[in-house]
Amino acid sequence: MERYYQKEIECASQEQIKAWQDERLVRQVRHVWDKVPYYRAKMEEKGVTPEDIHGRDDLYKLPFLSKADLRDAYPFGLLAEPLEKCVRIHSTSGTTGKRVVAFYTKEDIDLWNDCCARALAAAGAGPEDVCQVAYGYGLFTGGLGLHYGVEHLGATVIPMSTGNTAKHIQLMHDCGSTALACTPSYALYLAEQIIKSGIPRSEFRLRTCILGGEPWTENMRREIEAKLGVDAYNIYGLSEIMGPGVSYECRCKSGSHIVEDHFYPEIIDSNTLEPQPAGGQGELVLTTLTKEGMPLLRYRTKDLCSLTDPCACGRTNVRMSRIVGRSDDMLIIRGVNVFPSQVESVVLELPEFEPHYQLVVDRVNNLDTLQVQVEVREAFYSDEISQMMALKKRIADRLHSVLGIGADIRLMEPHSIERSEGKSKRVIDKRVLK
């Protein structure tokens, strides 16, 4: 049975959603114009004022924001409310040394709690559940976001954070945890460690997982569901916009519903910045319609996906596809665009391999090279050279057909690739180190 947290909002008519969006966008544009000199300067540079914005159809007139803007304005340049009205600050680290910070008023926190509670309910969770949160707490938004979402839902939360997997397993077993919130890579690692613990899977009550923080594929979903005996659901968000809960999957598992009453989505071509046709794949751009502390208009997420119509669950919010990659994380190897998710899809469709891999990119004699390190399952790992060569050719041929370029395959022994208790590091690009 489909569960809802705020059914009257989640299942509102398209006309009502559009009315909310138009009204809230107009108010938000005026808010940032009046309160944020950084925004006002960008709008003036583009020759637009609040009087030019009457609703979503005028959104294209506004300038884009990117992570570079957040770093340029660090720390208070995008703050739209007095600091004394803000009750929390979250932050993410960056590659340039400057952090990206986000400010939240009490109303922002309440809104965020509702978003996460909607996601948990859509994954089948309710007041009767015990949810173990294995996202990082602190400046990272994952832990506290899901923590308060669980409490808002009326369920019981175990605030485990990351690390200490043995304690995770013990409490999951002893306290009868029924829901788990973590990254997909940690869910797989946890599944492996449960097997090693020797505790029978039948003694665990875990039945649902809310997974996010990194891209993952349908093949990885099947792997997680099979190993943990759960239903696995995607949750999406980013600290700059709010945190987890910007979108989430329902029981249909066919795309993540964007919380459109608070976040307005666009899909653009990353190169031309022009809107993509309906259903087309491109870069996701988000506008916060109700956030007070640090609202963002037309923020370029760099995440690549597509938008589709609402699904059969009854929710009327548009759905976003899985993130297929990031426009800034895309690898260009010998002129070919390569995304780690493409490699993952191949690894997980072949039963001989574990869902653990790394891409090592280098430049040798002015030529880009791609090495794919992939872990072989114990049942298929052999001392017979001919068997391993056949296995290597099998995955090499499949990767070539998907990527369009050849890759050097390195078959790894079982359990030899380092496991992650947070976000997994899939790519080592040695070209940027030279």
Side-chain angles (χ1 to χ4, degrees):
M1 182 183 71
E2 194 67 39
R3 300 182 89 156
Y4 307 91
Y5 177 68
Q6 295 169 315
K7 186 174 182 179
E8 70 286 356
I9 299 176
E10 297 171 60
C11 301
S13 68
Q14 288 288 317
E15 291 73 20
Q16 178 62 74
I17 293 173
K18 291 175 182 177
W20 282 331
Q21 291 172 336
D22 287 340
E23 175 191 349
R24 292 171 180 180
L25 177 62
V26 170
R27 185 169 62 241
Q28 191 73 288
V29 171
R30 171 57 68 181
H31 180 54
V32 300
W33 174 274
D34 291 342
K35 300 289 187 66
V36 187
Y38 188 96
Y39 264 115
R40 190 183 311 122
K42 286 185 74 74
M43 290 173 64
E44 288 176 337
E45 183 180 345
K46 201 171 180 190
V48 61
T49 68
E51 287 70 28
D52 298 315
I53 308 299
H54 305 286
R56 296 160 301 118
D57 292 342
D58 294 319
L59 195 63
Y60 74 93
K61 300 175 183 178
L62 295 170
F64 290 104
L65 277 185
S66 69
K67 189 166 286 190
D69 289 294
L70 273 65
R71 293 189 176 119
D72 290 344
Y74 174 89
F76 303 120
L78 290 173
L79 191 59
E81 293 289 352
L83 187 60
E84 56 266 28
K85 190 179 176 183
C86 296
V87 299
R88 194 188 301 173
I89 298 173
H90 280 284
S91 175
T92 61
S93 59
T95 56
T96 65
K98 273 194 175 183
R99 303 188 72 88
V100 169
V101 293
F103 298 85
Y104 301 76
T105 65
K106 181 183 182 303
E107 290 74 16
D108 292 336
I109 295 294
D110 290 342
L111 180 161
W112 186 15
N113 293 341
D114 284 341
C115 291
C116 288
R118 288 190 202 181
L120 289 156
E128 71 279 6
D129 282 292
V130 176
C131 183
Q132 200 152 317
V133 177
Y135 288 113
Y137 280 65
L139 288 173
F140 176 60
T141 55
L144 287 171
L146 267 298
H147 178 112
Y148 288 111
V150 173
E151 290 188 354
H152 248 53
L153 188 66
T156 302
V157 63
I158 302 179
M160 286 296 300
S161 190
T162 56
N164 204 334
T165 300
K167 186 177 289 185
H168 262 291
I169 294 171
Q170 177 189 343
L171 282 174
M172 185 179 291
H173 175 268
D174 296 348
C175 295
S177 300
T178 54
L180 170 69
C182 64
T183 62
S185 54
Y186 187 61
L188 278 173
Y189 178 67
L190 198 58
E192 289 181 349
Q193 297 307 304
I194 287 174
I195 293 171
K196 288 183 178 180
S197 74
I199 304 173
R201 177 64 186 85
S202 59
E203 293 186 11
F204 290 85
R205 296 182 59 203
L206 195 65
R207 62 178 181 80
T208 188
C209 286
I210 300 92
L211 307 178
E214 61 190 17
W216 54 306
T217 62
E218 284 299 317
N219 284 331
M220 183 173 277
R221 189 208 300 272
R222 287 190 284 270
E223 188 86 13
I224 291 167
E225 291 184 337
K227 286 188 172 182
L228 278 178
V230 298
D231 280 310
Y233 299 93
N234 189 55
I235 187 171
Y236 170 80
L238 55 167
S239 300
E240 305 94 302
I241 293 295
M242 180 66 74
V246 172
S247 74
Y248 55 85
E249 279 187 323
C250 64
R251 304 297 287 275
C252 296
K253 301 180 185 176
S254 57
S256 298
H257 292 274
I258 296 177
V259 183
E260 283 190 280
D261 48 313
H262 297 300
F263 312 106
Y264 184 78
E266 302 173 78
I267 299 291
I268 65 167
D269 183 296
S270 295
N271 297 314
T272 67
L273 304 185
E274 292 297 320
Q276 290 288 74
Q281 181 177 294
E283 181 182 341
L284 177 66
V285 174
L286 290 170
T287 292
T288 61
L289 298 172
T290 53
K291 194 175 181 189
E292 295 180 341
M294 199 182 86
L296 298 182
L297 305 182
R298 303 198 82 193
Y299 182 72
R300 295 184 58 185
T301 68
K302 302 294 185 178
D303 290 328
L304 301 177
C305 65
S306 59
L307 301 180
T308 57
D309 292 331
C311 69
C313 72
R315 292 175 180 84
T316 46
N317 292 330
V318 69
R319 291 170 293 157
M320 58 182 283
S321 69
R322 282 191 178 277
I323 302 298
V324 299
R326 288 180 54 83
S327 60
D328 57 351
D329 285 350
M330 178 179 69
L331 296 168
I332 302 178
I333 301 173
R334 301 195 293 275
V336 177
N337 296 341
V338 174
F339 294 100
S341 58
Q342 293 174 299
V343 176
E344 179 175 294
S345 67
V346 171
V347 171
L348 287 171
E349 75 181 30
L350 300 177
E352 298 92 340
F353 302 99
E354 293 283 1
H356 301 291
Y357 66 93
Q358 279 192 324
L359 281 64
V360 180
V361 185
D362 206 344
R363 183 165 287 140
V364 179
N365 297 326
N366 297 317
L367 183 67
D368 290 336
T369 62
L370 171 64
Q371 181 185 83
V372 177
Q373 302 176 358
V374 58
E375 204 172 278
V376 182
R377 293 186 190 275
E378 289 188 15
F380 296 93
Y381 197 81
S382 172
D383 292 332
E384 293 290 332
I385 295 179
S386 60
Q387 291 183 28
M388 298 305 288
M389 290 298 292
L391 198 56
K392 184 175 180 178
K393 183 177 186 307
R394 173 168 157 77
I395 190 171
D397 289 347
R398 180 65 184 131
L399 279 172
H400 190 276
S401 70
V402 170
L403 302 179
I405 61 170
D408 172 32
I409 306 299
R410 183 179 176 189
L411 301 183
M412 308 292 288
E413 294 183 11
H415 312 293
S416 60
I417 293 180
E418 184 179 358
R419 304 306 196 248
S420 171
E421 295 185 342
K423 292 187 179 183
S424 56
K425 184 173 178 59
R426 300 297 196 190
V427 179
I428 301 172
D429 194 339
K430 296 182 177 180
R431 296 174 300 181
V432 301
L433 301 178
K434 294 182 177 180

